[in-house]
């Protein structure tokens, strides 16, 4: 029976080429857009090089201060703030502190080279799983002595020194200051914001005063627990410390700083405020957008199916006249629709692979490779089947209610 339904479905799809094209385009386009967006988000949300210990880490990217007058300041923290307050935690195994990437200029053969510089402490290198191509990271002793040493990315090595075998021991000049290269790491994609940089330097050589006791600054912290079981304890411990931090800026009354898992820290940046993470708002909004995105082609498919089925009223009338039950006809049309949806889903996967390959070949975002998220792909195909079934049920139900005489007269 299914084999016959499949043959009929293929014959109908080939006979109604325009309707088939519109339906397949809607399904495959929707799935392609969904998969490409997911691939982009997956690079941000999922653990990757060098942030491979994310399941054991909490992040403190921002602090927020508010006043009763409605003023609000949201910024990264100073080195003092993180080192003094987060640094007093007892639970974490390591506390990495690093600035956001700051642009610095270097000149190679009279051409300006913009380098993203990151200032870090020593624990930063123990938290990130960096692939060292040459040399090693700087240590606490070198940081305390304010040695002008640096670890550069593979990309900076190529851009500044060219294709040479080794650069350890050579000097690189940025913003008119020379640094001795002691290590080269595999380049980090910009999506790994907490670890991204093209040139890493000890925080003690930064031009900004790391001893300043202001709370705001360019730094963020990463807390590494001994295991995932430490996360909750670290959060509670840091929250208890933050509650005791005095607000020294007279313009503000309340201070908020949260140690979050990576995804929660991203969401808090987008939708959070104060102690509210914004997680419910974010998930509800994202779900509504995805649902709407899937629902629109479904509604369109329902309309197309109604038109397509109404055009086949004579066929329906004849089959009913020869004894076909309404249930049999409903099964047939629903299965036809599911087959159509499956074909659209497969085309969507093929288009998604081609689009991602095209984006990767253009290298729109350096050192970042986009791949299909297989889990999302599985659920997207399930969603396609569900909406395909949904969009076939109503037209099939309308068709099953057609009177034989009316159906035959329609032609």
């Amino acid at each position: 029976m299914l084999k016959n339904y499949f043959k009929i479905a293929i014959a109908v799809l080939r006979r109604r080429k325009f309707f088939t094209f519109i339906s397949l385009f809607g399904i495959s386009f929707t799935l392609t857009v969904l998969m490409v967006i997911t691939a982009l988000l997956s690079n941000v949300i999922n653990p990757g090089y060098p942030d491979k210990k994310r399941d054991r880490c909490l992040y403190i990217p921002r602090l927020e201060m508010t006043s009763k007058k409605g003023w609000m300041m949201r910024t990264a923290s100073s080195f003092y703030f993180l080192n003094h307050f987060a640094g007093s935690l007892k639970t974490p195994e390591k506390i990495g502190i690093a600035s956001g990437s700051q642009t610095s200029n270097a000149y190679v053969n009279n051409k300006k080279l913009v380098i993203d510089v990151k200032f870090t402490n020593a624990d930063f290198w123990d938290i990130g799983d960096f692939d060292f191509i040459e040399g090693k990271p700087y240590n606490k002793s070198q940081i305390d002595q304010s040695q002008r040493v640096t670890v550069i990315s593979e990309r900076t090595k190529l851009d500044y020194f060219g294709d040479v075998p080794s650069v350890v021991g050579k000097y690189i000049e940025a913003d008119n200051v020379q640094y001795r290269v002691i290590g080269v790491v595999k380049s980090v994609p910009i999506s790994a914001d907490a670890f991204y940089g093209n040139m890493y330097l000890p925080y003690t050589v930064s031009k900004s005063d790391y001893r300043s006791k202001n709370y705001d600054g360019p730094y963020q912290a990463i807390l590494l627990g001994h295991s995932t079981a430490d996360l909750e304890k670290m959060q509670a411990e840091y929250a208890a410390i933050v509650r005791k931090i005095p607000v020294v800026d007279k313009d503000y009354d309340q201070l908020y700083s949260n140690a979050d898992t990576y995804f929660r820290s991203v969401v808090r940046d987008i939708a959070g405020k104060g102690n509210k993470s914004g997680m419910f708002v974010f998930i509800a909004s994202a779900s509504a957008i995805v649902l709407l995105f899937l629902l629109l082609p479904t509604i369109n498919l329902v309309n197309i199916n109604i038109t397509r089925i109404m055009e086949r009223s004579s066929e329906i009338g004849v089959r009913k006249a020869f004894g076909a039950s309404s249930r049999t006809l409903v099964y047939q049309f629903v299965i036809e629709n599911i087959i159509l949806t499956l074909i659209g889903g497969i085309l969507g996967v093929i288009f998604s692979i081609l689009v991602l390959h095209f984006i990767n070949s253009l290298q729109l975002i350096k050192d970042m490779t986009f791949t299909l998220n297989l889990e999302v792909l599985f659920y997207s195909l399930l969603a396609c089947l569900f909406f395909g079934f949904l969009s076939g049920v109503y037209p099939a139900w309308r068709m099953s209610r057609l009177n034989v005489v009316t159906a035959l007269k329609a032609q």
Side-chain angles (χ1 to χ4, degrees):
M1 185 68 75
L2 283 175
K3 187 177 177 181
N4 289 334
Y5 286 165
F6 181 78
K7 286 180 178 177
I8 293 171
I10 297 298
V12 170
L13 293 180
R14 293 176 64 181
R15 193 170 68 216
R16 310 289 180 187
K17 291 185 176 62
F18 177 71
F19 288 135
T20 303
F21 169 77
I22 295 294
S23 302
L24 290 179
F25 177 79
I27 297 166
S28 57
F29 179 76
T30 302
L31 190 60
T32 300
V33 172
L34 195 62
M35 293 311 303
V36 171
I37 291 175
T38 305
L40 296 174
L41 290 177
S42 142
N43 270 276
V44 176
I45 295 170
N46 292 330
Y49 171 78
D51 197 2
K52 296 177 182 175
K53 299 172 185 168
R54 195 175 282 179
D55 61 330
R56 291 165 51 197
C57 289
L58 293 178
Y59 301 78
I60 310 175
R62 301 278 183 276
L63 70 83
E64 182 179 315
M65 288 192 281
T66 59
S67 77
K68 292 176 182 174
K69 297 176 182 176
W71 299 344
M72 183 181 78
M73 179 177 73
R74 183 180 287 182
T75 174
S77 308
S78 67
F79 186 87
Y80 164 79
F81 181 88
L82 294 170
N83 191 48
H84 186 72
F85 296 115
S88 65
L89 295 174
K90 305 297 182 190
T91 308
E93 179 185 341
K94 300 279 183 182
I95 299 175
I97 300 177
S99 69
S101 58
Q102 304 170 18
T103 57
S104 180
N105 296 324
Y107 291 88
V108 183
N109 298 325
N110 294 323
K111 289 184 179 178
K112 189 169 81 172
L113 175 65
V114 177
I115 300 176
D116 291 329
V117 175
K118 200 174 197 70
F119 298 93
T120 81
N121 69 350
D123 281 353
F124 173 82
W125 296 106
D126 295 324
I127 297 175
D129 279 331
F130 286 89
D131 293 340
F132 271 84
I133 297 165
E134 292 181 48
K136 59 184 179 182
Y138 40 80
N139 54 38
K140 187 173 184 309
S141 173
Q142 290 170 308
I143 293 174
D144 292 342
Q145 294 170 28
S146 301
Q147 290 188 20
R148 289 179 178 172
V149 291
T150 181
V151 173
I152 61 175
S153 69
E154 195 176 10
R155 178 172 298 283
T156 302
K157 173 191 170 183
L158 186 63
D159 291 343
Y160 191 89
F161 296 101
D163 189 14
V164 294
S166 175
V167 296
V168 169
K170 294 187 177 184
Y171 285 83
I172 181 172
E173 186 174 307
D175 285 344
N176 300 317
V177 179
Q178 281 197 330
Y179 301 94
R180 181 166 55 89
V181 178
I182 62 170
V184 180
V185 294
K186 178 185 169 185
S187 298
V188 177
I190 198 169
S191 58
D193 177 59
F195 293 90
Y196 168 74
N198 291 318
M199 186 174 180
Y200 301 88
L201 296 170
Y203 68 87
T204 48
V205 301
S206 169
K207 290 179 180 176
S208 63
D209 184 8
Y210 67 88
R211 298 183 188 89
S212 168
K213 292 189 176 179
N214 290 335
Y215 288 175
D216 60 309
Y219 289 91
Q220 52 188 306
I222 309 167
L223 314 179
L224 176 68
H226 296 275
S227 68
T228 54
D230 283 347
L231 297 185
E232 197 172 331
K233 191 176 177 183
M234 288 193 298
Q235 275 182 319
E237 193 180 352
Y238 186 63
I241 288 175
V242 170
R243 282 195 289 271
K244 298 176 184 175
I245 297 176
V247 181
V248 293
D249 192 327
K250 294 179 181 177
D251 291 331
Y252 299 98
D253 309 306
Q254 190 69 43
L255 181 145
Y256 303 95
S257 179
N258 298 280
D260 290 319
T261 57
Y262 186 82
F263 181 65
R264 200 176 187 87
S265 70
V266 173
V267 171
R268 190 186 293 279
D269 254 5
I270 299 170
K273 186 178 179 182
N275 282 330
K276 295 179 180 175
S277 68
M279 187 64 75
F280 175 78
V281 174
F282 178 83
I283 291 179
S285 303
S287 301
I289 291 171
V290 171
L291 185 64
L292 187 64
F293 193 67
L294 291 173
L295 201 57
L296 285 177
T298 302
I299 293 171
N300 184 43
L301 204 55
V302 169
N303 289 329
I304 291 174
N305 284 341
I306 290 174
T307 307
R308 186 162 58 93
I309 288 173
M310 288 302 112
E311 279 197 343
R312 296 168 65 186
S313 57
S314 60
E315 173 194 335
I316 296 166
V318 170
R319 292 193 62 187
K320 277 196 163 187
F322 280 87
S325 68
S326 295
R327 178 179 295 181
T328 302
L329 293 171
V330 168
Y331 283 157
Q332 177 189 334
F333 281 93
V334 169
I335 289 173
E336 279 183 19
N337 211 51
I338 289 176
I339 290 171
L340 176 70
T341 308
L342 267 180
I343 295 173
I346 293 169
L347 287 175
V349 173
I350 295 171
F351 290 151
S352 301
I353 293 171
L354 292 176
V355 169
L356 291 177
H357 177 72
F358 179 68
I359 293 174
N360 288 334
S361 66
L362 289 180
Q363 273 288 291
L364 292 177
I365 304 176
K366 290 180 180 178
D367 306 314
M368 189 182 291
T369 302
F370 299 105
T371 55
L372 281 182
N373 185 316
L374 295 180
E375 188 178 354
V376 174
L377 175 62
F378 173 73
Y379 286 112
S380 298
L381 287 175
L382 275 185
C384 275
L385 280 177
F386 173 73
F387 285 110
F389 173 78
L390 201 65
S391 64
V393 166
Y394 177 67
W397 175 77
R398 286 270 310 264
M399 171 274 302
S400 69
R401 293 172 62 85
L402 278 178
N403 180 276
V404 176
V405 177
T406 305
L408 291 173
K409 277 185 176 178
Q411 298 298 312

